[in-house]
Amino acid sequence: MDRFELRRLDYSLTEDHKDLIAAYRQFFDTHCSIETVWAAEESGFDKSLWERLCAMGASSMALPESAGGDGATLVDLTLVAEEIGRAVAPVPWIEHVCAARLAARLGVADPEIVSGARILGLDVRAERPGGARLIGSGAVAEEIIVTDGDEVVLLGYDTRAPRVDNLGRLPMAWIDPATADHRSVLATGDEALAEYARALDEWRILTAAALAGLVEQTMTVAAEFAKTRYTLGVPIGTLQAISHPLANMAIVVQGGRNLSRRAAWFLDNEPDERPELPGCAFVFMAAEAAQAATMAVHIQGGLGVSTEAAATAYLVRARGWPLVAGDPGQTAQAVGRIIAQRESAGDPAPAA
């Protein structure tokens, strides 16, 4: 088996990957405490944190070298997304990098976008009817990429839209393409829409990775609590009603992490081979993250449901982040259609 074939099945990390994780984990441990997260809830955005993150290269790494970036792979980006999820960081990094990568593929190479000085938004809903639509970073993005019929369009607004309160504590806003102050068509036709569809798959993969990181930190919070609370003279973590759900969380973390990395590798290297994987990763983590975060709240009992508890901050984001794309069930249906078409065409089942 050659190295390329092996890599299709092996998603272990290199030393460079491990160094990347360590660097971003240290960054968020230093600059994004739970107090920072709470302080940003009213706006859904911490400008200082965003500037620090971009200064570290988190925005430029995501762009190809041809656009002035550092040419990171999509697998590299899943590692950063995990750390963003672990810290529930109030920054629109995932939307921005997916929009920026799309813009680069369509020929837009702007240094301010590469550096993160200008934030791009992206309409990531599975279904995109005409009219106004909710955009996850609409309240902070300078420009937003949407589709309009067979066109991929860049919208600009002189005045930012007001933030809409939402479960995920995101800088979400209603954006109406008809009221844009500036409008430019980036590309038209089937190829343009295919590039847009790829951007949505990248968003699904990175969101799934972020949710895996979120669940891992939620599990850590719940496990540490379970070590310090006793009943009948023993830590509550020794009880099956606590230990089994914690074990399930660990399985979800590893499963979601492996699935998002696998989806990222195939999208980068063989995009036509496993087109269902981005949707699978997203749907899996959208469901499992909410269940895991709910269990973490239950493990902490009355403390867990208090607004001061970190578990609550993780729970609302676990439920709210996937809803930026609308009902995750729509993505599940799209995955079903992909598989059904492959089966009806008589294609052999891909290797597990």
Side-chain angles (χ1 to χ4, degrees), residues 24-42:
Y24 278 94
R25 185 165 303 181
Q26 182 179 19
F27 171 85
F28 286 113
D29 285 346
T30 302
H31 299 293
C32 190
S33 65
I34 192 64
E35 289 77 19
T36 299
V37 174
W38 283 325
E41 286 199 336
E42 185 174 348

Side-chain angles (χ1 to χ4, degrees), residues 15-348:
E15 290 303 315
D16 287 343
H17 286 145
K18 294 175 183 177
D19 290 342
L20 181 67
I21 292 172
Y24 278 94
R25 185 165 303 181
Q26 182 179 19
F27 171 85
F28 286 113
D29 285 346
T30 302
H31 299 293
C32 190
S33 65
I34 192 64
E35 289 77 19
T36 299
V37 174
W38 283 325
E41 286 199 336
E42 185 174 348
S43 66
F45 178 59
D46 187 313
K47 188 173 185 292
S48 175
L49 180 64
W50 174 255
E51 291 173 348
R52 290 174 183 270
L53 183 63
C54 291
M56 192 175 177
S59 175
S60 60
M61 72 175 286
L63 277 296
E65 293 178 359
S66 59
D70 301 320
T73 68
L74 198 52
V75 173
D76 295 333
L77 301 185
T78 65
L79 307 182
V80 179
E82 280 188 41
E83 297 309 312
I84 286 175
R86 187 190 310 278
V88 288
V91 289
W93 181 82
I94 293 177
E95 254 189 49
H96 172 77
V97 299
C98 292
R101 285 162 64 88
L102 170 60
R105 292 195 297 272
L106 297 180
V108 178
D110 188 317
E112 289 192 342
I113 294 175
V114 175
S115 68
R118 195 160 92 240
I119 299 175
L120 287 187
L122 183 70
D123 182 7
V124 300
R125 293 182 302 164
E127 299 292 336
R128 295 183 298 280
R133 67 282 307 268
L134 278 170
I135 306 295
S137 60
V140 297
E142 278 84 4
E143 294 173 305
I144 298 165
I145 302 179
V146 304
T147 56
D148 185 5
D150 67 345
E151 297 178 336
V152 177
V153 182
L154 182 66
L155 306 176
Y157 296 83
D158 294 336
T159 302
R160 289 177 181 168
R163 176 179 178 270
V164 175
D165 193 23
N166 61 94
L167 187 62
R169 305 298 192 263
L170 297 166
M172 183 178 287
W174 283 104
I175 300 297
D176 188 349
T179 64
D181 298 300
H182 314 282
R183 183 183 190 277
S184 60
V185 177
L186 299 181
T188 304
D190 291 342
E191 290 187 7
L193 295 181
E195 291 293 353
Y196 197 93
R198 178 190 170 97
L200 299 190
D201 276 342
E202 291 182 350
W203 182 88
R204 293 182 184 110
I205 290 169
L206 296 182
T207 298
L211 290 171
L214 182 155
V215 172
E216 185 168 37
Q217 185 61 21
T218 301
M219 175 184 68
T220 300
V221 170
E224 290 300 319
F225 181 90
K227 293 178 184 177
T228 62
R229 294 301 189 273
Y230 284 72
T231 181
L232 301 177
V234 298
I236 64 173
T238 62
L239 305 178
Q240 288 186 357
I242 303 297
S243 60
H244 286 191
L246 287 172
N248 287 339
M249 289 183 205
I251 294 170
V252 166
V253 170
Q254 197 58 48
R257 175 180 290 155
N258 289 344
L259 186 52
S260 62
R261 293 174 187 173
R262 182 178 178 83
W265 189 90
F266 270 96
L267 189 58
D268 258 353
N269 295 280
E270 300 181 49
D272 298 326
E273 183 69 15
R274 298 299 301 273
E276 77 280 7
L277 286 179
C280 288
F282 174 69
V283 171
F284 174 73
M285 286 310 306
E288 294 296 335
Q291 292 184 24
T294 299
M295 180 53 64
V297 169
H298 288 175
I299 289 173
Q300 295 189 50
L303 175 62
V305 298
S306 67
T307 56
E308 296 84 4
T312 298
Y314 283 85
L315 173 60
V316 295
R317 288 161 179 80
R319 292 189 177 277
W321 284 358
L323 297 180
V324 176
D327 182 2
Q330 294 175 330
T331 301
Q333 291 175 3
V335 169
R337 288 192 293 270
I338 292 171
I339 295 174
Q341 289 171 3
R342 183 166 61 212
E343 293 296 322
S344 63
D347 292 341

